[in-house]
Amino acid sequence: MNKEYLGEFEELVLTIVGVLQEDAYGNAIVAEIKDRVKRDANLSAVHVTLYRLEDKGYVKSHMGGATNARGGRRKRIFTVTNAGLAMLRAMKESRMELWKLIPQLKMSAV
Amino acid sequence: MEADTAVEDVCCLNCDALDTNDIHDASAMSKKETNQSASNNHSRHRADRWLNLLSWFCPPALYEGIEGDLLEQYEEDLNTIGKKKAKQRLIKNIFKFFRPGIIFRNKFSFQHNNTIMIGNYFKVAMRNIQKRKLYSFINAFGLSIGIAFCTLIYLYIQDERSFDQFHVNKDRIYRMETKSYNYWEANPKKPYYYNATVQTGLQPAMKEEIPEVEFASRYSPGRNVTMRKADEVFTEKITYVDADFFNMFSFQVIAGSPDKLFTHKSDMVITPDIAKKYFDNEDPIGKTLVFHDGEEKSFTVTGIIEAPPSNSSISFSILIPQENRGNYENNVTQWGTRDVSTFIQLRAGADLQKFGANLEKMTEKYLGEMLRKQRATSAIPIPEGIKLTEFQYTALTDIHMRKEIGWEKVSDPQYSLILGAIAILILFIACINYVSLALTTSASRKTEVGIRKTVGAQKQQLVYQFGIESVLLALVSMIIGLVLVVLFLPSFNQFTGKTIQVAYTGLLPLLSVSTGITLLAGILAGSYPALFLSSFLPATVLKGKFTSKFQTGFTRPLVVLQFALSAFLMISSVIMYRQMDFITNKDLGFNKEQVLVIPTQTGWNKKADELVERFRTKAQQEPIVEMVSGTSVSIARGFSSRGYKINDENKSSFFYLVDPNYIPALDLKLTLGRNFDATISSDSSGIIVNEALVRDMNWTDPLNEYLNWQEDSLSRGSKVIGVLKDFHFESLAQEIKPMFLSINTKSFGHLSNILVRVSEGNAATSVEKMRSIWNELSPDKPFQYTFLDEDVAHQYESQQRWMRITGFSTGFAIFISCLGLFGLAGINAVNRTKEIGIRKVMGAEMKSIFILMNKQYIGLSLIAFALAVPASWFVMTKWWLSDFKFAIEVGWELFAISMISGLFIALATVSYHSIKAAWINPADTLKYE
């Protein structure tokens, strides 16, 4: 585990950004969270989390993709950086380690 | 592609970002784009207004992305959950963005650079103030007067509101009052009488029978008695209360035990001043004090209580139990007479509804019978639902402001409102003056602004600089203002009849209030000049052009307004002064000059009459004494009146018990009949009436009439011996009412006052002579006297006070108006410098330039007067003068005098600038052209 660690929601958002690959922006992330985890996230919460992740260097953003529905405003699209990927990997490994130790959660394949 | 055409067809009202890039990205558009785009655009337009709100707190860099997301979601929602809910969601989301994570991402524009410059700003500000000492001083002074005034009014209002607030139980203490229907004369304007007197038996009855009442105390203030200390005799005021008084009110008991203060009827509690006066520095507890109120009574001091502060409605110096009041045993059972005030304290959590119900039950029990009888025998029919007498109550803290119920130290809440409004008005005017004066001096700062901008100052920094300058000046004004407050506080106290002091406890709120006012004034007043100065363009300014004219647009109407206000006050002052002059000099129908009024102080018994006789015998030996008489009530020191029924009509008249010397002593005129003659015995049952009474009774031959004012069924009443010409025994605010005189001291009263007419020019010696006679005849009472003309003038005290206030405000308003006019004239002169230079070159003389400059002010003054004259006429005649039934005529010469003097003042003020402008050397002003 790194010295800095992520909050639960930050972790979720970072993961979803990774999932969405190309088109990770505010609304898409909210929709995706609703879709996959069945959880209602607020748009402002997601935005603020994304900015914080950017401050920490786990994602980077660029502008692109204006549509009519947005009144011609561009989207801010986020992508995971290498540091972000490293963080995700580290998180996945450390969690797996811990979960393996719970007898009731023992998976058939390691 | 269908998507493309959709994009091109739609005309978005807000799409300034719509450019070629967007059309390329059309392929990336959401699949949910439908044909509803057109209507969506319309609703989006409405949503945009809310998005503006977002732009207030959203960092600019992130704004576009957030806004776009919100709009996209809105579009989706329009299709799924409907327009109204979509809008609600949008607004909710916008507000949710108002969170620290977003707000603090804003870079706040407070640059570090500004703090470095503050030192420089202060230095420059100080230099500027010193460079233009006259203007700075006038500016600061004007503002300081405004601040001082506001502070004084604040202190006044604080004092008014603080009345009786220091009692711990103030929320539960009430004063009992009586509301009685005026069935004697049906007066539709004032159908009820309210007063704060109730029956003596009410207090014990309330304590016993009403469970909500915890404590109750009666209160009879201010009975004069004489007390002796060694050889000297003093008059003191005695206040009668009950033992509960010490439980209810928070007057601190300094010595003695609070629950054992009134155990005996002869106990007495005094204030430290009294203790010092009669016992020097000894402990007074347990000692005896004797006083004389017709007979000698002695009391034991059981405690010392602190004197009530000035903001207390209850005042006292000596307290003794109620049982000592004359005729107490009788009064307690008498429910027909009301002669005492009563305070009650309710239990904590008492139900006011229940209390009211219990009160009504008590009214029925003790007064029911009597009221029913009154209703049956009343001459005027009393409507069914009206209660003849009702008990009411007022909370202790509200007493001070209820001016319709007579009480000592009652005040009119109107005063506070009016004074507050005046204070704000004056401050406002002072600020506007400040602005106009600041603008006048700003011409000299042009070059400075130009250079600062050239070396890189931003507009905002210049605004700060000039803002700091005005705040600095405002702070200086505040200091001057506070000094003024301290200086004028004594005269303000005298003026308003208060004793306001700036104590240490009140110092902090006072300072914060005045600092608040100052900063507000400084920032408000300084903002316009600051913005104006910082907007100069370096290019024009450094070239030396004088052409940017200040906006006089809005100072002009203001100067007119100030002047109108001053004119209004001036005219009002003149009218008031004339009226008061008229009153003091009007012939009241009797000779009030040179008459001493000496109370006999013997109590209401025949000793008074004997004293008058003995006094007369001695006094008439003195050559300066012209006449000695006696009367029951002296004019303007009270009155007595009686009501009676004649032929089933309710009548009333005033009534004075006098002696035969009364009419000659006061130089009253008889129109019919003759004066009382002590030698004719039937004269003792005769009366002398005034013309008003004759008119009231519709008599044609008064000398053959009788007035049955005692409603005596056996005789015809008192025979009329003479008719007096009407004279003003009441103030000129009243019409002359019916009145009669009688000399019957055996049955109808006693002569409580001696009237001594002395010859002219001997006031001091006559007083001394009277004093020595008094000391011979009545050595155990201190000699007291007043002069009749002073008593009469005393009736108009509140009018006098308004006259003083108006006079003072007039001087004040004129001063401020002159400041404003001065500023305006200055601006004007500066604006026209070039024009004047050219005129001089063309050959204009000083005189013509002088007239040229002053012309416009005459116009302004005339407009101001046109406004002021009708306003002052209306206010004066409808309000102030209507208080007097006998008033002066408001003629045009009053207005003319005020107008001319006003014009003169205005011209004097503007002449300074006109002369200065006329002196200018054209070479200086036209150099740069």
Side-chain angles (χ1 to χ4, degrees), chain B residues 222-243:
Chain B
R223 172 103 199 249
N224 280 337
V225 299
T226 50
M227 285 170 68
R228 158 164 275 163
K229 182 191 175 180
D231 295 328
E232 280 180 81
V233 173
F234 299 99
T235 315
E236 305 290 349
K237 279 197 188 317
I238 302 274
T239 309
Y240 301 90
V241 296
D242 291 305

Side-chain angles (χ1 to χ4, degrees), chain A residues 25-27 42-45 47-48 51-52 55 63 65-76, chain B residues 17 22 25 29 33 44 61-62 64-73 75 93 96-97 99 102 105:
Chain A
Y25 70 100
N27 280 333
N42 183 257
L43 183 62
S44 60
H47 268 268
V48 168
Y51 303 143
R52 265 198 229 123
D55 287 343
M63 301 301 291
T67 70
N68 214 3
R70 300 170 65 88
R73 287 145 176 89
R74 297 171 297 173
K75 306 173 187 172
R76 188 172 277 272
Chain B
D22 296 339
D25 285 333
M29 258 200 301
E33 193 81 325
R44 192 192 308 144
L62 306 172
E64 195 181 351
I66 296 178
E67 215 191 359
D69 277 355
L70 286 169
L71 275 175
E72 193 179 325
Q73 174 136 77
E75 289 293 321
N93 277 336
K96 280 214 167 149
F97 266 97
R99 55 196 287 168
I102 297 282
R105 286 185 183 267

Side-chain angles (χ1 to χ4, degrees), chain B residues 214-285:
Chain B
E214 191 181 358
F215 297 119
S217 169
R218 288 165 291 204
Y219 173 75
S220 305
R223 172 103 199 249
N224 280 337
V225 299
T226 50
M227 285 170 68
R228 158 164 275 163
K229 182 191 175 180
D231 295 328
E232 280 180 81
V233 173
F234 299 99
T235 315
E236 305 290 349
K237 279 197 188 317
I238 302 274
T239 309
Y240 301 90
V241 296
D242 291 305
D244 278 347
F245 184 82
F246 306 104
N247 292 330
M248 290 164 64
F249 296 108
S250 308
F251 298 112
Q252 206 186 22
V253 176
I254 303 177
S257 36
D259 26 314
K260 296 220 189 68
L261 289 171
F262 270 6
T263 35
H264 309 288
K265 186 173 150 184
S266 59
D267 287 343
M268 176 191 271
V269 177
I270 57 180
T271 53
D273 283 342
I274 300 283
K276 188 110 191 287
K277 195 167 168 186
Y278 290 94
F279 298 106
D280 295 317
N281 289 321
E282 300 170 6
D283 181 18
I285 308 278

